[in-house]
Amino acid sequence: MPPPNSARVPSSSASLPLAAAPMSNPVPSSSPSQPSSSPLAAASAFLQYHLSRLASRFAAPPRPALAAVHPPPGPQGASLSLALAPDEVARALTGTPVFTVCNSSNEFVLVSDPATGLRSLGLLCFRSEDADALLTHVRTRQPMLGKGAKVVPITLDQVYMLKAEGIAFRFLPDPLQIKNALELKSGLTAFDGVPVFQSDLLVVKKQKKRYCPIYFQKEDIERELTRASKTSRGSALFKQIMVGSLEDVLKKMETNDRNSGWDDLIFIPPGKSLNQHINEVSA
């Protein structure tokens, strides 16, 4: 892997500050950890695996259409000008934390694209322990850069707006959710992207607005399905869960028109319920 470097967040994104957090008090991760005799070693191995795949993922063909959501067809003759604006897409992502590494100057620590060396990526982890492994890697490979470096939480809506301004990021998903996704998509041995989970049974209408919740953890959507149906029992209820990738969902939101169903999506932060999250973002 090429040595990491750093880049300051553009001044134009000052309205979306990347607030540093002390390493001793990071935003808690609600993702369950997989058993391991050495959690740091496991996280480091996971990190190295994904870094080794960066080159192939840049050259990979487009992923198939999202299977997680089935919105109604858009209106006939809809204009492309009706597509969702970046801030509207970002609003659906509000509140979900991811973790990255910044240096002492609050600059992203970037990794060069191993395929070309011409592009730099900010790595964003869905588990704080994977960001800790990245921090350890930075301190080992580049002691001067690693001096004063820290793990920093940032929300997905902030990430999306920074991406819209030209900063490139790569997500490192929770390996437990990768495992969950593969169990739902029988026959697959690998999953490309960040898995997200959805069920048509959980679509609700509140205050004249339709919400189609998208979950980052299979455990959260299972809990919601159990609450939503007091009559259904057993595994049959959980067969209603569909899985897709975050990257595909965002692409669909960017390219489909308003009132096509994709503007109804709301991403539920790990560990939270739909009602809890709606109340928080509406406060």
Side-chain angles (χ1 to χ4, degrees):
M1 180 181 111
N5 49 38
S6 61
R8 183 176 297 278
V9 177
S11 58
S12 59
S13 64
S15 60
L16 293 170
L18 181 64
M23 289 183 60
S24 59
N25 186 31
V27 172
S29 171
S30 49
S31 300
S33 299
Q34 290 180 297
S36 173
S37 58
S38 174
L40 181 58
S44 298
F46 173 72
L47 175 66
Q48 286 296 107
Y49 168 75
H50 278 278
L51 290 177
S52 68
R53 296 183 65 203
L54 286 179
S56 61
R57 292 175 92 179
F58 275 121
R63 286 184 290 269
L66 174 71
V69 184
H70 302 279
Q76 294 292 325
S79 170
L80 291 178
S81 63
L82 296 179
L84 294 177
D87 63 316
E88 293 176 295
V89 177
R91 194 176 304 125
L93 295 163
T94 299
T96 297
V98 289
F99 306 89
T100 190
V101 173
C102 284
N103 63 16
S104 57
S105 300
N106 211 37
E107 299 167 328
F108 291 110
V109 172
L110 305 177
V111 177
S112 297
D113 173 12
T116 65
L118 299 178
R119 184 179 181 183
S120 291
L121 296 170
L123 297 179
L124 298 166
C125 307
F126 275 78
R127 303 192 310 173
S128 59
E129 53 262 48
D130 293 329
D132 290 336
L134 174 59
L135 177 62
T136 299
H137 181 85
V138 170
R139 287 174 172 170
T140 301
R141 293 290 300 273
Q142 293 287 310
M144 291 300 295
L145 178 62
K147 186 177 181 180
K150 54 192 175 289
V151 172
V152 174
I154 180 173
T155 57
L156 281 180
D157 54 308
Q158 292 176 310
V159 171
Y160 187 83
M161 293 306 293
L162 291 172
K163 176 180 177 293
E165 294 177 7
I167 299 178
F169 294 100
R170 181 68 64 193
F171 291 116
L172 298 185
D174 181 342
L176 177 59
Q177 300 311 318
I178 292 288
K179 177 176 178 291
N180 288 336
L182 291 175
E183 290 175 350
L184 289 172
K185 296 178 78 70
S186 59
L188 293 183
T189 57
F191 191 92
D192 192 18
V194 176
V196 290
F197 306 91
Q198 184 262 344
S199 173
D200 290 338
L201 297 178
L202 296 177
V203 176
V204 298
K205 191 171 184 179
K206 290 180 177 290
Q207 299 176 349
K208 299 182 179 181
K209 178 171 174 56
R210 183 175 181 268
Y211 292 96
C212 178
I214 305 293
Y215 297 83
F216 291 97
Q217 293 188 345
K218 179 171 174 278
E219 297 79 7
D220 290 341
I221 192 171
E222 288 178 338
R223 185 165 52 248
E224 292 274 63
L225 284 170
T226 300
R227 291 171 181 167
S229 178
K230 296 181 180 180
T231 57
S232 297
R233 292 292 184 270
S235 60
L237 186 65
F238 300 142
K239 291 181 180 179
Q240 302 294 326
I241 298 175
M242 295 171 282
V243 62
S245 77
L246 172 64
E247 293 84 349
D248 286 334
V249 173
L250 294 178
K251 181 60 66 176
K252 290 290 186 181
M253 293 178 73
E254 293 166 351
T255 57
N256 280 270
D257 300 327
R258 291 183 181 86
N259 302 319
S260 63
W262 294 95
D263 52 333
D264 295 330
L265 303 190
I266 182 170
F267 293 85
I268 311 303
K272 294 187 177 179
S273 68
L274 172 61
N275 286 334
Q276 180 184 4
H277 184 55
I278 289 177
N279 291 336
E280 290 178 354
V281 298
S282 302

